[in-house]
Amino acid sequence: MNRQLTWVEATDPLPPTDRALAISEGANGLLAAGADLSPERLTEAYRRGIFPWFSRGEPVLWWTPSPRMVLMLDEFKISKSFRKTITRAIADPSLEICADNNFTEVMRACAAPRQTQAGTWISEPMISAYHQLHQTGHAHSIEVFRNGQRIGGLYCVAFGKMVFGESMFAKETDASKLALATLVAWLKQHQAVVIDCQQRTDHLASLGGREIDRLAFEAHVHHLTRLEELPWRSAPLCKQDLEGL
């Protein structure tokens, strides 16, 4: 099939996801280009399992890859060494974990240069757009502090009980994994079942992530985004949630 990329104007809906390019077409899941990054557009996209991903100088590109990497919460893997890290973290009075202390600073930390990356897709327009989404209550940061200094974290998007992982960072070994483990434990307490991880990496696979096809993923999205919102403010996550793992 010779498919053409759809150009989306500001008033256009995103196209059906079955129009996305396939692996064989060289851009697995590329669905559309154009439009904006308003909270309304991001809401439309995430509620359909679509996310923006583009580099500086490119138009906004919209993606829905198949297969899709997900972390089923009941399949989260904790190695013996990381189990010891969790135990030490719970007992360490200098270490704290919380949500939404400073969302924008977490995004900036995730955007910082890394030895394994030539650049970042977390540009200033992305930071501004997700800050606005955070203000609507649908984007969140999980943050790890030692002696008041942020040493790791992640940010995600959430609608209903569907959580879409975006990026993480660590300034100390296992700091980002502690953020993820706390999020997993807290989500399990509140009847969530899956975190979207977008695309496969060996790191995510080592933590229990696996790939599912687009239809299976969209079934999760359709169901979970329509459930009651997670209690981000009324029952905020904290380090003690790790005790449930």
Side-chain angles (χ1 to χ4, degrees):
M1 181 184 299
N2 185 15
R3 284 176 283 200
Q4 292 185 338
L5 186 64
T6 301
W7 181 264
V8 180
E9 301 291 349
T11 57
D12 295 335
L14 292 167
T17 56
D18 61 6
R19 294 187 190 174
L21 301 182
I23 294 175
S24 61
E25 294 169 299
N28 180 27
L30 181 56
L31 176 66
D36 59 88
L37 289 170
S38 67
E40 293 78 16
R41 177 66 77 181
L42 289 172
T43 296
E44 175 204 359
Y46 278 96
R47 285 187 174 275
R48 294 177 54 199
I50 302 165
F51 61 90
W53 184 36
F54 60 99
S55 299
R56 186 173 300 171
E58 295 179 337
V60 179
L61 300 177
W62 300 96
W63 299 79
T64 173
S66 185
R68 185 83 165 225
M69 191 73 166
V70 298
L71 176 61
M72 307 305 294
L73 302 183
D74 287 339
E75 298 174 10
F76 183 57
K77 292 181 180 178
I78 303 174
S79 66
K80 289 183 179 179
S81 61
F82 187 50
R83 175 68 68 183
K84 292 179 181 178
T85 298
I86 290 174
T87 300
R88 289 195 298 268
I90 293 171
D92 186 351
S94 73
L95 190 140
E96 295 298 331
I97 303 174
C98 65
D100 296 332
N101 176 272
N102 193 322
F103 177 85
T104 301
E105 285 305 305
V106 171
M107 280 200 74
R108 293 193 186 283
C110 290
R114 306 182 193 187
Q115 291 182 346
T116 57
Q117 294 179 343
T120 180
W121 52 271
I122 306 174
S123 61
E124 283 301 318
M126 290 285 276
I127 292 172
S128 176
Y130 281 79
H131 173 72
Q132 292 181 61
L133 194 65
H134 170 64
Q135 291 182 313
T136 72
H138 290 293
H140 302 277
S141 57
I142 315 302
E143 307 174 43
V144 182
F145 291 87
R146 186 181 302 282
N147 294 321
Q149 298 297 311
R150 188 181 294 103
I151 61 168
L154 62 85
Y155 73 98
C156 61
V157 171
F159 288 94
K161 288 185 168 57
M162 183 70 210
V163 176
F164 305 85
E166 290 296 322
S167 186
M168 58 179 66
F169 80 98
K171 295 181 179 179
E172 289 188 11
T173 301
D174 286 340
S176 60
K177 286 173 65 175
L178 282 171
L180 177 60
T182 307
L183 177 61
V184 167
W186 184 80
L187 290 174
K188 290 175 72 173
Q189 291 178 34
H190 298 289
Q191 294 75 54
V193 296
V194 61
I195 298 174
D196 170 38
C197 302
Q198 297 180 351
Q199 301 188 62
R200 189 189 189 283
T201 67
D202 291 342
H203 177 62
L204 290 169
S206 73
L207 297 173
R210 60 181 170 91
E211 293 179 320
I212 60 176
D213 66 37
R214 183 184 293 124
L215 288 178
F217 174 73
E218 289 180 348
H220 285 299
V221 173
H222 180 82
H223 171 64
L224 294 170
T225 57
R226 286 161 174 76
L227 298 180
E228 183 180 2
E229 297 292 336
L230 289 159
W232 294 97
R233 292 185 179 179
S234 61
L237 63 78
C238 63
K239 182 175 70 174
Q240 283 63 43
D241 291 317
L242 289 168
E243 297 172 354
L245 289 176

